[in-house]
Amino acid sequence: MDKFGFAQSQKFDTYASRLLPREEYFTSGHRSCQGCGEALAVRWVCKAIGKDAIIAHATGCMEIVSSGMPQTSWMHPWIHVAFENTAAVAAGIETGLKILARKGKIPEPLPAVVAMGGDGGTSDIGLQALSGALERGHNFTYICWDNEAYMNTGIQRSSSTPYGAMTTTSPPGKRSIGQATWKKNMVAIAVAHGIPYVATASPSYVFDLYFKVRKAIETPGPAYIHVLSVCPTGWRSATDLSVRLGRLAVETGVFPLYEVVNGRYRLTVQPPKLRPVIDYLKPQGRFRHLRKPELDLIQRQTLAAYELLLAKCQAPYPEFPVLTHEEEETIPEGA
Amino acid sequence: MSAHPAKAQRVGMEVSIAVSHAVQMARAEAIAAYPITPQTHIVEHLSTLVANGELEAEFINVESEHSALSACIGMSAAGARTYTATSAQGLALMHEILFIASGMRFPIVMTVANRALSAPLSIWNDHSDIMAARDIGWIQVFVENGQEAYDHTIMAFKIAEHPEVLLPTIVNLDGFILSHVVEALEFISQEDVDAFLPPYQPKYRLDPKKPVTMGAFAMPEIYTEVKYAHQVALTNSYHHILKVWDEWANLTGRRYRPVETYLTEDAKVLFLTMGSLTEVAEVAVEEMRAQGLPVGLVSLRLWRPFPFDALREAVKDAELLIVCDRALSAGGPGGPVHSEVRNCLYPLESKPATVNYIIGLGGRDVPPEAFHDILARAQKEVESGPSGEFFLYGVRG
């Protein structure tokens, strides 16, 4: 695996797709929707984690599309237990392997342990188990497939659904603009656990995704990767636009690609100039009902969050970013 | 404390500590637990044994019981011999995962220190926690005293891990009433335990060299068949349980049966109890016999798989069977044990009448006198014709 390991990522610029592994660990023939960004991400993540790995998966789209008994799309040893506990299951696997190796029952090096779950299984119902596993410092990598709603059960809002988005449980109406709250910052929550590696990634930036996963796997201790997974069904977008939408999310600053290594922030993909957010929102039917005031609000909020991220990237103490003069003025009195 | 107590020497010890020594002697490799009263002494002592290197195991202090059992599934799937303990609300929080552990056939061993469920909050003993988890597909045993708690904890690993069984197993012991009592106990040597219980050889485990998919979803075409296979495995585990108990009897001289009987010969009236209540009932029955009353005692040790034939055999000649439940099936036909017992006896042509008394809820003390009182009330009840009712014994006001 060293051939494709993190060390190689230093030669990032010279990379081409033919230099990445050809082995497929997530096989075709699964039942995902057309244009599923998550299936694309899973395929590349599985290549990146390599053969010697065990995967624990939460209930969700990917579990359902890939594991209908008696078939399976997983070439890795794979286990699904329930919706909210995949981090606890992975913690158990890692612990089990550790004691078996110590007793000489299985050879070292131990396989990598990877936990995967959707945004609901990660930022809502599975947050407790994930927080527990991160806090205890298990050596595993958690990957969140964020398609911004409960897509397995239809299209119901989660705490990861962005502001203004239409879902079947956050419908726009006379008294509603759709999702009324802002997307939960799951990455910040992971960072707050003080774990050695946290990153965002997107299958629209395959090399970036690939090497972040390698880095996470090779980092001892817990690692967390948040992958934006475009969902044409739930986002009401054209199925051939998934990779494009993933890029637009980055180019507009809605989903910046960065990593936090031992608390230090770094943008890994830096668009020279941000595009207006409307370029990203317009191709998606779930934002169709929004009018100018809400669009402006989303634009302002996106820029504010992006600037805060840039400040964290530049700050010697990222938790205390250097604020600009303008931002200081906006802090209310008595705060 | 030494690595483990010496062989065949009677030592005074708290039952919870004895259970953790049984887990130690069974050489459990992976433990995940969350503190809950009255189970805490078991896992506290286990964590000390692990910390001192007296038990070569990994111990995860998880953030909830839900994660405790989830981590146990992970550890068992990785191929480790796995143990946990819980109680009441903790068992209830595990509820979803209890079914998954048995459905996926992981031989996890768990001690449940039985306790009442909220509300109102009660940390004291009854069986409402485990009776609410009656249908989880685990093997379930009830123990009467500390010696049995020690014995059955070691045996549970052997039963659960048998390749034809592969089912998680619960050893039920009454919280506080049993878990916190200091008793004289007899241990067997580590060599004997090692010979009795060889290391766990998982049939399937998560191994990149031989990848398998565990926990796949099932369409309606296959779900029923998987459930049927589980049912067959649980029913057939009965013979393996008897075999393991026989082996234990040869090793220690202590013989266990799915349905225990005490002074049942020529008994016209039988009490049926479970767990530590049995010892109190024994005292009461002895007193009644001394008064010349034809009374006997039946104790249900094996709760799952339910010992239908053994129970029918044990009670068939009696006229009246008084089932003592320690849980209430609210709005239902009485206590859960009585429901099952009546169901078991229904097909018989000649069977005893049954009366159901629900006693000792939420830690209410049950002295031997209670059984005298219950006998008098039950007989009066039967004389006035079978009512089919159940009685919540000892309600004031």
Side-chain angles (χ1 to χ4, degrees):
Chain A
M1 206 57 233
D2 274 338
K3 189 177 158 197
F4 304 115
F6 167 64
Q8 292 296 309
S9 71
Q10 306 309 314
K11 298 175 191 165
F12 184 76
D13 294 339
T14 66
Y15 255 85
S17 59
R18 64 186 170 80
L19 293 174
L20 290 174
R22 288 180 179 197
E23 293 85 1
E24 295 291 350
Y25 298 113
F26 184 68
T27 62
S28 57
H30 54 74
R31 300 172 178 81
S32 76
C33 307
Q34 267 190 51
C36 175
E38 195 169 313
L40 187 61
V42 171
R43 181 181 161 221
W44 280 101
V45 166
C46 285
K47 279 174 184 275
I49 64 180
K51 193 174 189 306
D52 204 20
I54 295 171
I55 298 173
H57 209 292
T59 311
C61 282
M62 208 34 63
E63 174 252 330
I64 290 299
V65 304
S66 67
S67 80
M69 205 186 270
Q71 296 161 330
T72 180
S73 289
W74 302 90
M75 302 296 278
H76 286 105
W78 184 90
I79 184 169
H80 157 255
V81 178
F83 193 9
E84 65 281 37
N85 63 353
T86 184
V89 175
I93 294 168
E94 187 253 2
T95 308
L97 294 176
K98 213 157 66 183
I99 181 66
L100 291 177
R102 209 164 72 215
K103 288 182 125 185
K105 288 185 172 180
I106 55 170
E108 289 184 271
L110 294 175
V113 177
V114 181
M116 300 175 176
D119 51 289
T122 303
S123 58
D124 287 349
I125 194 168
L127 185 57
Q128 176 184 306
L130 174 59
S131 174
L134 295 181
E135 176 268 323
R136 291 191 300 269
H138 295 282
N139 183 16
F140 80 120
T141 298
Y142 190 100
I143 296 171
C144 171
W145 313 119
D146 183 7
N147 55 22
E148 303 194 324
Y150 291 93
M151 302 305 185
N152 185 34
T153 42
I155 311 156
Q156 296 91 16
R157 64 84 76 184
S158 76
S159 63
S160 198
T161 303
Y163 175 81
M166 179 268 287
T167 72
T168 55
T169 51
S170 64
K174 229 169 20 185
R175 292 180 182 177
S176 164
I177 56 118
Q179 173 82 343
T181 55
W182 296 89
K183 186 183 172 88
K184 188 187 271 184
N185 192 342
M186 196 48 226
V187 180
I189 293 171
V191 171
H193 284 79
I195 58 173
Y197 190 80
V198 180
T200 62
S202 160
S204 301
Y205 294 81
V206 167
F207 295 114
D208 183 69
L209 171 85
Y210 182 90
F211 290 111
K212 278 173 177 166
V213 173
R214 279 308 315 159
K215 221 165 164 176
I217 296 284
E218 289 169 25
T219 302
Y224 177 87
I225 299 182
H226 198 92
V227 181
L228 185 72
S229 308
V230 178
C231 173
T233 309
W235 294 15
R236 303 278 187 245
S237 59
T239 53
D240 61 342
L241 279 188
S242 293
V243 173
R244 184 83 203 105
L245 275 173
R247 287 198 164 263
L248 282 167
V250 176
E251 289 167 1
T252 55
V254 169
F255 191 84
L257 295 178
Y258 60 102
E259 62 181 12
V260 189
V261 182
N262 294 318
R264 297 301 301 268
Y265 286 69
R266 184 175 77 91
L267 272 187
T268 57
V269 172
Q270 202 154 9
K273 185 169 173 275
L274 290 186
R275 296 170 69 130
V277 169
I278 189 73
D279 291 1
Y280 169 67
L281 302 181
K282 211 164 182 184
Q284 303 180 47
R286 61 176 174 158
F287 296 113
R288 190 170 41 208
H289 58 282
L290 296 182
R291 298 288 169 260
K292 197 161 182 312
E294 292 100 21
L295 293 172
D296 286 348
L297 187 61
I298 293 173
Q299 179 67 73
R300 281 208 308 279
Q301 185 73 18
T302 303
L303 287 178
Y306 196 78
E307 269 172 37
L308 185 63
L309 177 65
L310 289 182
K312 282 180 177 177
C313 290
Q314 284 151 9
Y317 304 105
E319 293 312 311
F320 307 99
V322 180
L323 297 176
T324 62
H325 180 61
E326 218 171 285
E327 278 166 334
E328 275 171 8
E329 274 184 356
T330 62
I331 295 171
E333 273 178 40
Chain B
M1 189 169 284
S2 64
H4 59 78
K7 181 191 177 180
Q9 187 189 346
R10 284 170 78 78
V11 284
M13 188 180 279
E14 189 188 308
V15 172
S16 293
I17 311 298
V19 169
S20 53
H21 278 301
V23 175
Q24 176 200 19
M25 292 174 109
R27 297 193 191 279
E29 294 166 318
I31 302 158
Y34 187 78
I36 182 159
T37 304
Q39 155 268 72
T40 36
H41 287 187
I42 298 173
V43 296
E44 275 173 2
H45 194 68
L46 272 172
S47 62
T48 308
L49 293 173
V50 173
N52 292 340
E54 293 175 34
L55 171 59
E56 187 67 24
E58 282 286 327
F59 193 109
I60 323 182
N61 286 298
V62 280
E63 84 295 335
S64 75
E65 282 92 350
H66 192 283
S67 283
L69 194 53
S70 303
C72 283
I73 288 180
M75 299 189 292
S76 193
R81 178 171 285 164
T82 306
Y83 174 83
T84 186
T86 193
S87 196
Q89 308 301 127
L91 184 68
L93 185 53
M94 283 180 180
H95 193 69
E96 177 199 21
I97 311 301
L98 293 169
F99 287 84
I100 299 178
S102 60
M104 288 171 76
R105 309 284 297 275
F106 289 119
I108 299 159
V109 172
M110 173 155 76
T111 304
V112 176
N114 299 121
R115 175 189 138 182
L117 280 177
S118 276
L121 180 65
S122 165
I123 59 165
W124 294 276
N125 165 248
D126 69 27
H127 292 168
S128 45
D129 57 357
I130 197 63
M131 289 305 159
R134 191 182 56 174
D135 302 326
I136 51 177
W138 291 47
I139 293 170
Q140 294 192 36
V141 180
F142 278 81
V143 299
E144 292 170 24
N145 54 42
Q147 188 64 57
E148 293 188 3
Y150 168 81
D151 291 359
H152 282 277
T153 304
I154 296 175
M155 287 191 282
F157 285 99
K158 181 148 177 151
I159 294 164
E161 290 170 5
H162 192 285
E164 283 172 36
V165 176
L166 286 183
L167 284 167
T169 301
I170 288 173
V171 179
N172 286 291
L173 63 99
D174 286 310
F176 287 125
I177 291 177
L178 192 50
S179 64
H180 285 52
V181 161
V182 176
E183 274 190 23
L185 297 157
E186 229 169 74
F187 291 84
I188 64 169
S189 71
Q190 184 66 59
E191 294 73 46
D192 283 347
V193 176
D194 287 343
F196 173 79
L197 179 66
Y200 173 43
Q201 299 287 352
K203 202 168 176 185
Y204 304 101
R205 62 181 206 86
L206 294 167
D207 180 7
K209 286 185 193 69
K210 212 178 152 194
V212 287
T213 291
M214 295 180 178
F217 85 92
M219 295 292 278
E221 289 77 17
I222 200 165
Y223 183 85
T224 311
E225 282 69 19
V226 178
K227 288 289 131 180
Y228 175 71
H230 182 181
Q231 160 70 9
V232 169
L234 189 51
T235 313
N236 289 347
S237 72
Y238 189 78
H239 308 288
H240 297 288
I241 293 167
L242 294 191
K243 240 166 74 187
V244 171
W245 288 1
D246 275 351
E247 261 181 73
W248 189 260
N250 293 336
L251 187 65
T252 65
R254 293 189 288 272
R255 183 169 294 280
Y256 297 109
R257 295 171 190 82
V259 177
E260 305 281 1
T261 53
Y262 184 64
L263 304 179
T264 50
E265 253 177 59
D266 311 322
K268 289 203 168 59
V269 181
L270 292 177
F271 284 100
L272 188 144
T273 55
M274 284 166 99
S276 64
L277 198 55
T278 306
E279 296 207 330
V280 185
E282 278 175 10
V283 173
V285 167
E286 277 170 18
E287 290 167 359
M288 292 170 194
R289 280 278 179 170
Q291 291 166 14
L293 295 169
V295 177
L297 176 65
V298 174
S299 151
L300 204 50
R301 174 182 307 288
L302 187 62
W303 178 233
R304 284 292 184 276
F306 194 87
F308 288 96
D309 291 337
L311 183 70
R312 285 168 187 157
E313 183 59 33
V315 305
K316 66 178 184 345
D317 297 328
E319 288 169 11
L320 175 62
L321 179 63
I322 303 168
V323 180
C324 301
D325 259 287
R326 301 200 82 172
L328 171 66
S329 167
V337 179
H338 180 243
S339 284
E340 305 245 326
V341 167
R342 208 149 53 158
N343 179 306
C344 169
L345 300 182
Y346 185 78
L348 299 185
E349 293 225 340
S350 137
K351 55 193 168 243
T354 65
V355 186
N356 187 200
Y357 279 85
I358 292 162
I359 57 175
L361 293 187
R364 179 73 60 87
D365 193 27
V366 184
E369 299 82 70
F371 289 94
H372 292 271
D373 193 18
I374 286 171
L375 178 68
R377 285 165 186 249
Q379 280 174 330
K380 213 191 286 172
E381 196 57 40
V382 172
E383 277 164 23
S384 60
S387 64
E389 275 188 48
F390 65 92
F391 303 93
L392 211 51
Y393 180 72
V395 182
R396 289 187 302 265

